[in-house]
Amino acid sequence: SQQGEEDPQALSIQEGENATMNCSYKTSINNLQWYRQNSGRGLVHLILIRSNEREKHSGRLRVTLDTSKKSSSLLITASRAADTASYFCATAGSGNTGKLIFGQGTTLQVKP
Amino acid sequence: DAGVIQSPRHEVTEMGQEVTLRCKPISGHNSLFWYRQTMMRGLELLIYFNNNVPIDDSGMPEDRFSAKMPNASFSTLKIQPSEPRDSAVYFCASSPGERLNTEAFFGQGTRLTVV
């Protein structure tokens, strides 16, 4: 069964705007990760945030984590047409099993 | 490093035939995952190996599916007999450590079509 649920399922914005995607999960986690998938390709890791962290930045990406609400958000600032892709959150459970469970993903379209 | 290598990239087979998907993880990585992706069900974890040992196969849909990892540099996912509902993109991923806080590296996937 899937751990994460993301919203929105689809997002369409203009180039230069910010894009925010949300992820909710159900059980305790060790960390939460965000991945990107271009059409027809494999997933590429973007950023990892540990359960004891609240916010993390990487370039134009900003990730927040609220373990009390079991939710995370991914913000892409100043979006570009090349950011068009599907974005997935994935959770690694606190049981130290290494199991990585993915959400359903958000499809982002950035219009030039 | 060439990354995670999967073969074949595309496979079209007839219902009832055996299908074998192959994966070469990144050298030195301890963990290997097999995922299946469909529009309806998203990305599902099928099985997870650590140090070549299957740790969790609860996602394997049924007995028609089996996975092996005979050594640290090779894994297979076999479907026998295949059915049209097995049509999906199958991804293999590897990660550096048995402990968490490490990212997974994905292959390009095998697109399987069962007709």
Side-chain angles (χ1 to χ4, degrees), chain A residues 10-49:
Chain A
L11 182 60
S12 181
I13 59 174
Q14 292 294 134
E15 205 165 28
E17 294 180 340
N18 295 342
T20 300
M21 289 159 267
N22 303 296
C23 169
S24 61
Y25 57 91
K26 298 175 183 176
T27 61
S28 297
I29 62 169
N30 183 286
N31 67 68
L32 186 143
Q33 304 177 29
W34 285 90
Y35 289 77
R36 166 190 169 132
Q37 184 181 34
N38 286 80
S39 180
R41 307 295 295 271
L43 281 77
V44 175
H45 181 266
L46 295 175
I47 196 166
L48 180 153
I49 186 166

Side-chain angles (χ1 to χ4, degrees), chain B residues 30-72:
Chain B
N30 295 330
S31 297
L32 184 139
F33 308 84
W34 281 100
Y35 289 91
R36 176 172 69 177
Q37 187 176 37
T38 61
M39 288 293 291
M40 290 295 294
R41 300 175 67 88
L43 202 61
E44 302 173 276
L45 176 63
L46 301 178
I47 187 169
Y48 153 57
F49 292 88
N50 182 252
N51 291 324
N52 312 337
V53 176
I55 302 299
D56 188 336
D57 65 354
S58 59
M60 295 287 262
E62 48 197 272
D63 292 345
R64 297 185 298 107
F65 285 68
S66 62
K68 294 181 180 179
M69 193 165 185
N71 56 61

Side-chain angles (χ1 to χ4, degrees), chain A residues 18-93:
Chain A
N18 295 342
T20 300
M21 289 159 267
N22 303 296
C23 169
S24 61
Y25 57 91
K26 298 175 183 176
T27 61
S28 297
I29 62 169
N30 183 286
N31 67 68
L32 186 143
Q33 304 177 29
W34 285 90
Y35 289 77
R36 166 190 169 132
Q37 184 181 34
N38 286 80
S39 180
R41 307 295 295 271
L43 281 77
V44 175
H45 181 266
L46 295 175
I47 196 166
L48 180 153
I49 186 166
R50 301 180 183 186
S51 60
N52 60 354
E53 297 176 315
R54 292 297 168 258
E55 187 171 312
K56 204 161 184 180
H57 297 255
S58 176
R60 293 184 295 113
L61 305 181
R62 172 177 169 256
V63 169
T64 62
L65 179 64
D66 186 336
T67 53
S68 66
K69 295 181 179 178
K70 292 187 169 54
S71 67
S72 173
S73 68
L74 170 67
L75 169 67
I76 304 174
T77 60
S79 63
R80 306 166 182 169
D83 294 330
T84 295
S86 292
Y87 292 82
F88 295 85
C89 69
T91 53

Side-chain angles (χ1 to χ4, degrees), chain B residues 17-28:
Chain B
Q17 295 297 306
E18 177 180 295
V19 175
T20 299
L21 311 181
R22 297 174 175 79
C23 174
K24 178 177 169 30
I26 294 173
S27 177

